[in-house]
Amino acid sequence: MAAVIVGAVVVGGQAEGRTLVTHEALSFWGGYDAADGTIIDHRHPLHGERAADRVLVLPGSRGSSTTSAVLLEALRNHTAPAAIVTLGVDTFIALSVVVAQEMYGEGIPVLAVDRDVFASIPNDVTVVVRSNGRITLADRGRKGNTPNRME
Amino acid sequence: MDVQPVAELALTVSDRALLAGDRGEGVRLAMAIVVKMAKVQGAAGLLDITAAHIDSALFMGDATLDFAERLADHGATVVVPTTLNVSGVEEQRWREWAVPADWANKAQRQMRAYEKMGCRPTWTCAPYQTEARPAFGQQIAWGESSAIVFANSVLGARTERYPDLLDICAAITGRVPAIGLHLDEHRRGQDLVVLRDVPATLQASDVFYPVLGHRIGQLVEDRVPVIEGLAHHPSEDQLKALGAAMASSGAVALFHIAGVTPEAPTREAAFGGGAPGRVFEIDLSNVRDARDDLASGVSDTLHMVVLGSPHFSLDEFRQLSSLVQERTRHPNVRFLVTTSRAVAAIAREAGLLDPLQAFGGELMVDTCILTSPVLPDSIRSLMTNSAKFAYYTPGLLNRSMAFGSLSDCVASAEAGRVVRDETLWQP
């Protein structure tokens, strides 16, 4: 990952957290437990991982139209990811955060990136997401010890 | 799925009036969400819809209830004919199941909120079977992935994939972002799926279509597939099962079958004169793999057979009633069919429910096992003929699910264990 990458701001906001990266789309209905923020789709590579408070990097959602309702529940329960980065704009994910902002006055940043940037984001590194769409490696809490060489 | 630059969104005088709160706070909230989503999607403007089908009435927790009551309590009402998808409880008989009372009360509050907004209490994921059958070319806003793919592909109506929360905002404002499947240029085929050497007897069988859909959804994800090489003209129920499966394993909202679906008189027409992006071949071994992939953690014991996702049709009741004649389910296996109030009433009138009852079967309306917490803990091992039930049960219900044809399901319920006729799946 380059020192700074830039995504298109779908929903603005700031966050910090460890990345959780998957290259498979996820239906949040039947895939995300809004009670504790765990991935519960048995067919998904992230099955069993806790996504709450992580920077979730995924191609997008799929399947059921209930995905937006599940993510809204997670946002209300504070079991949602800290930020979500998708490959291109994902309407279902954006909608949940737009509604959470209207309903509860709070949300999480949602960014859209292109294929090259998507492929460059490593799993399990701590990053800072800023409201202008910039994602940088955090100064602390990082796995590994040579941050400037994490290209 | 490249990132689009945000276009300037053009709003009409009337759009701006709703956004300013001229029709009250509930309508303002709905319009604010429509407009924000139009910007997210890079729409140039909004367009009118003339019907809606709402998945948002399904209770998922306090947030979906908050949202429904915020809209209803602030005077929002729908401005187009609007049907309702499944609810969180079977309204009349939820006490006969394992549904917690607190859940049922909140789910019913959410149902009331949508009725108060003027939606029709149809409570079905297959409204096209009775109450709402949009016309070819009609602009609509539908939720429920299996209904969306049916409306677009089989009826030729035009809807984007409306997520929960946005579908009701569209019905309240009558306006949607002018994007995606509402527009000609996005309705053309993108990928070609060719069947090779799949036996004609298998193709004619109902069990083939959910399996084929499961595989195609995995292959094409959110693109528009054109299917070629079918030797059989699929029935409406077969197309229903095909689409529901594609919309579970993938995010397919529109498919074409050359010579079958209304926007695909020919393969060339389906692709709008263009060339397929990707070409996939599916043979018998792919189909068998897809069938096996639908099953999860199958054991020798069987506790329940469940049918009706999407909701059972009248034709399916006809087939079932002849299959169960003179037979009785095993005492350890419950046999459940989920459908709509409307189809249940017609089936009862036609005498199709008596054989089901004689077999020892049960009927559930308004909802299904995925959307209402009905199953007691003792039911761990299920069987179905529905790809959608098979796809979602392990994650949502943490239970195992076997997959087979309707006739396999009846035979298994009778035998007390999973039995399957393998002859169909041979070359």
Side-chain angles (χ1 to χ4, degrees):
Chain A
M1 171 174 163
V4 179
I5 61 174
V6 182
V9 177
V10 179
V11 182
Q14 302 209 47
E16 179 171 341
R18 278 186 305 127
T19 55
L20 180 63
V21 177
T22 175
H23 292 264
E24 254 194 56
L26 176 72
S27 168
F28 280 64
W29 187 61
Y32 196 98
D33 185 343
D36 69 3
T38 304
I39 310 281
I40 52 172
D41 179 350
H42 289 232
R43 291 181 176 82
H44 198 277
L46 293 184
H47 178 238
E49 293 274 356
R50 193 157 183 273
D53 303 324
R54 304 284 294 267
V55 174
L56 180 62
V57 181
L58 79 171
S61 64
R62 72 169 161 215
S64 165
S65 27
T66 311
T67 275
S68 299
V70 174
L71 183 53
L72 180 65
E73 294 294 342
L75 287 160
R76 187 185 186 277
N77 294 340
H78 298 109
T79 57
I84 300 180
V85 179
T86 56
L87 177 60
V89 174
D90 187 281
T91 304
F92 286 40
I93 289 170
L95 174 66
S96 312
V97 184
V98 163
V99 174
Q101 286 180 331
E102 288 284 341
M103 293 289 301
Y104 306 116
E106 54 184 77
I108 58 170
V110 179
L111 302 183
V113 297
D114 64 24
R115 283 188 192 282
D116 290 345
V117 171
F118 186 84
S120 78
I121 304 175
N123 190 37
D124 207 22
V125 296
T126 301
V127 296
V128 177
V129 178
R130 299 196 191 282
S131 49
N132 58 5
R134 290 162 72 90
I135 304 173
T136 53
L137 292 168
D139 293 333
R140 58 188 166 73
R142 188 167 44 238
K143 278 203 168 181
N145 53 9
T146 50
N148 295 329
R149 278 195 262 137
M150 294 185 70
E151 288 292 322
Chain B
M1 289 229 302
D2 292 328
V3 178
Q4 301 289 325
V6 176
E8 199 60 42
L9 176 69
L11 296 177
T12 64
V13 172
S14 151
D15 291 338
R16 289 179 196 283
L18 300 193
L19 202 52
D22 286 12
R23 267 182 58 211
E25 167 56 20
V27 182
R28 186 210 61 78
L29 173 60
M31 195 60 175
I33 292 167
V34 170
V35 166
K36 279 191 178 179
M37 291 312 296
K39 288 179 178 166
V40 162
Q41 294 171 315
L46 306 180
L47 57 76
D48 287 336
I49 46 130
T50 54
H53 179 66
I54 306 299
D55 192 43
S56 307
L58 177 57
F59 176 72
M60 296 302 296
D62 290 329
T64 56
L65 179 57
D66 282 351
F67 181 67
E69 293 189 337
R70 174 82 68 94
L71 288 169
D73 292 349
H74 287 85
T77 52
V78 299
V79 295
V80 296
T82 301
T83 47
L84 285 166
N85 203 50
V86 288
S87 66
V89 285
E90 179 174 21
E91 193 168 21
Q92 304 302 328
R93 297 196 309 162
W94 62 268
R95 288 175 190 79
E96 295 169 26
W97 295 90
V99 182
D102 180 55
W103 170 286
N105 291 335
K106 286 180 172 175
Q108 286 174 306
R109 266 171 62 192
Q110 190 163 323
M111 293 168 80
R112 293 294 86 75
Y114 283 89
E115 289 175 3
K116 186 176 167 188
M117 287 189 268
C119 306
R120 294 169 57 198
T122 47
W123 308 121
T124 180
C125 51
Y128 46 84
Q129 292 180 159
T130 46
E131 292 94 341
R133 211 168 159 89
F136 182 84
Q138 187 178 353
Q139 297 285 5
I140 59 175
W142 274 28
E144 167 57 39
S145 62
S146 68
I148 292 164
V149 68
F150 189 94
N152 275 319
S153 313
V154 182
L155 303 178
R158 298 186 167 209
T159 178
E160 256 296 289
R161 291 172 61 224
Y162 282 93
D164 285 22
L165 315 171
L166 186 57
D167 51 15
I168 185 62
C169 295
I172 289 166
T173 59
R175 302 283 280 167
V176 295
I179 56 149
L181 297 174
H182 290 293
L183 309 177
D184 287 342
E185 58 265 36
H186 299 293
R187 299 184 64 84
R188 296 179 190 130
Q190 293 175 309
D191 291 339
L192 180 65
V193 176
V194 185
L195 301 184
R196 291 255 185 256
D197 303 324
V198 177
T201 46
L202 179 58
Q203 289 195 32
S205 139
D206 290 346
V207 74
F208 177 60
Y209 291 86
V211 171
L212 178 65
H214 181 63
R215 183 68 187 132
I216 293 176
Q218 290 174 328
L219 291 171
V220 306
E221 298 175 327
D222 61 352
R223 291 164 63 86
V224 179
V226 177
I227 303 164
E228 194 177 67
L230 268 180
H232 169 79
H233 193 104
S235 69
E236 183 162 317
D237 284 323
Q238 290 171 339
L239 293 170
K240 171 179 88 166
L242 178 70
M246 284 187 219
S248 298
S249 64
V252 175
L254 170 63
F255 64 85
H256 301 296
I257 305 177
V260 173
T261 57
E263 288 168 74
T266 62
R267 168 181 158 179
E268 291 67 32
F271 283 106
R278 296 176 297 179
V279 179
F280 301 104
E281 293 202 352
I282 293 183
D283 62 17
L284 180 60
S285 75
N286 302 140
V287 174
R288 278 204 297 247
D289 288 348
R291 177 198 67 176
D292 294 343
D293 188 55
L294 275 171
S296 53
V298 177
S299 63
D300 282 342
T301 54
L302 178 63
H303 299 133
M304 179 183 265
V305 166
V306 60
L307 310 171
S309 178
H311 272 166
F312 231 46
S313 71
L314 193 62
D315 273 349
E316 288 172 315
F317 274 112
R318 276 198 197 98
Q319 288 177 39
L320 180 62
S321 69
S322 67
L323 275 171
V324 298
Q325 292 290 350
E326 314 295 324
R327 299 164 88 171
T328 314
R329 68 173 173 88
H330 189 280
N332 296 344
V333 183
R334 293 175 71 173
F335 190 90
L336 178 67
V337 183
T338 57
T339 189
S340 68
R341 297 176 182 188
V343 168
I346 301 166
R348 181 171 290 113
E349 191 71 20
L352 299 174
L353 299 188
D354 301 328
L356 175 63
Q357 196 175 8
F359 180 70
E362 300 163 80
L363 191 69
M364 177 184 288
V365 296
D366 301 344
T367 186
C368 79
I369 59 162
L370 299 179
T371 49
S372 185
V374 290
L375 295 187
D377 280 342
S378 56
I379 293 180
R380 306 306 312 172
S381 172
L382 297 94
M383 182 175 189
T384 188
N385 69 343
S386 154
K388 185 163 185 168
F389 273 151
Y391 188 87
Y392 286 112
T393 292
L396 278 172
L397 306 178
N398 196 26
R399 286 164 166 88
S400 72
M401 185 65 99
F403 178 84
S405 67
L406 183 62
S407 139
D408 292 339
C409 286
V410 171
S412 301
E414 188 180 36
R417 61 187 167 79
V418 175
V419 290
R420 212 161 52 181
D421 177 3
E422 293 291 337
T423 55
L424 265 181
W425 304 91
Q426 304 307 314

